[in-house]
Amino acid sequence: MKSPVYFLSFFLMFSAIDYGQNNQDVLKDTLVSSDTIQMPKINLDSIHFKATNEMLDENLYWEIIEKSLKETSNQEDQEIYLTTELERLSPKEMIGFRLRTDKLLFDSYTSNLWCANYIISNGGADDGFDYFRCWLISRGKEAYYKTLENPDYLVNLVDNESKTYDFEGFWYVGNNAFKEVTDKEAEAYIDYENFKTTDENYPILDFNWNVDEPQTMEKVCPVLFKKFIKK
């Protein structure tokens, strides 16, 4: 015979699906109190879940990141914290987090920011620039937008020695949370036909700087150039 806790668990599971995040929190708190019951997966077929192109609300997105910065002190812990927080959201919101990240990566794919990354990391490959922008986003809303406005703002975020700043794992937190909660791959539920701000649609950059002409880099990022190159 199934225990009363068993039936309570499934009652709460369907309540969470119907009524949102608050009930999901109740569900998690209830289940972790029992050592013998694991967190049930959400059956996407049972809730008729369809592919989505909807990004997570930007205010909520930055709120989650700011909270992760307050609660952790290194990348590994921040990645774990973010994944756990996202597991509290609905499947649509988890994908929305990933899509919001893609949009922010798209918007930060600029010549000026690439120059700044090159200077502080003493060079970098294409993937390095992607992961650098993941790192920048993980630093929070103010860091992201102020750096886009003026790449020299990075001087407030980096150390005194030239090194690589990247956070590859940040890009995967939404996908990992989705997989953990649904046992499905997030990619299969992204409506790419109507979501275009992805790396496949990055613009062809017209670079206004050249590593063989250092003065062009200095013109783009004079503060960073002085700090890391012109010593």
Side-chain angles (χ1 to χ4, degrees):
M1 175 180 291
K2 304 293 186 182
S3 69
V5 176
Y6 177 90
F7 291 107
L8 174 62
S9 300
F10 280 90
F11 171 78
L12 288 174
M13 177 181 71
F14 289 113
S15 297
I17 293 172
D18 289 339
Y19 301 114
Q21 180 181 345
N22 289 337
N23 283 316
Q24 287 193 29
D25 291 344
V26 172
L27 170 64
K28 284 193 172 186
D29 291 341
T30 300
L31 294 182
V32 295
S33 65
S34 172
D35 295 333
T36 61
I37 302 178
Q38 293 183 343
M39 183 70 182
K41 306 293 184 181
I42 294 177
N43 186 326
L44 296 180
D45 293 331
S46 70
I47 61 174
H48 307 292
F49 189 76
K50 303 297 183 183
T52 177
N53 67 334
E54 185 176 331
M55 294 181 288
L56 185 66
D57 174 77
E58 187 170 3
N59 289 330
L60 176 56
Y61 180 93
W62 290 120
E63 180 182 316
I64 293 171
I65 291 179
E66 294 295 343
K67 190 176 179 182
S68 75
L69 290 170
K70 292 179 181 178
E71 298 293 334
T72 64
S73 59
N74 59 68
Q75 273 190 18
E76 182 179 1
D77 288 347
Q78 187 182 14
E79 183 176 345
I80 295 171
Y81 184 91
L82 285 169
T83 302
T84 301
E85 283 295 298
L86 294 180
E87 289 174 11
R88 298 176 180 273
L89 303 180
S90 69
K92 184 176 181 180
E93 289 172 320
M94 294 176 207
I95 290 180
F97 186 95
R98 152 68 191 280
L99 296 182
R100 177 64 65 183
T101 300
D102 282 352
K103 177 64 163 60
L104 294 170
L105 288 170
F106 187 94
D107 291 344
S108 58
Y109 187 77
T110 68
S111 173
N112 285 355
L113 192 56
W114 203 325
C115 179
N117 177 44
Y118 192 97
I119 290 173
I120 66 175
S121 65
N122 193 27
D126 290 349
D127 285 346
F129 185 46
D130 289 339
Y131 302 148
F132 161 75
R133 283 159 30 244
C134 284
W135 169 81
L136 177 61
I137 296 169
S138 78
R139 297 298 86 200
K141 181 178 182 179
E142 180 175 326
Y144 176 82
Y145 281 111
K146 286 193 174 182
T147 299
L148 281 195
E149 182 180 346
N150 177 13
D152 271 334
Y153 183 80
L154 282 169
V155 75
N156 301 296
L157 306 176
V158 299
D159 298 330
N160 292 324
E161 297 299 324
S162 178
K163 71 176 187 179
T164 299
Y165 291 86
D166 59 35
F167 194 170
E168 179 181 359
F170 178 84
W171 189 83
Y172 297 102
V173 292
N175 294 39
N176 292 340
F178 189 88
K179 175 71 172 179
E180 180 63 27
V181 170
T182 69
D183 265 343
K184 302 290 185 180
E185 299 295 338
E187 293 290 338
Y189 294 92
I190 296 176
D191 177 13
Y192 282 113
E193 186 173 339
N194 295 297
F195 184 78
K196 300 299 184 181
T197 50
T198 64
D199 56 351
E200 292 183 356
N201 297 303
Y202 281 171
I204 298 175
L205 294 181
D206 182 16
F207 286 96
N208 55 353
W209 55 278
N210 188 326
V211 294
D212 296 325
E213 301 176 58
Q215 69 275 13
T216 61
M217 300 172 69
E218 183 176 16
K219 186 175 181 179
V220 175
C221 304
V223 176
L224 291 175
F225 187 89
K226 182 178 181 181
K227 182 180 181 67
F228 292 106
I229 296 181
K230 197 173 184 179
K231 293 183 178 180

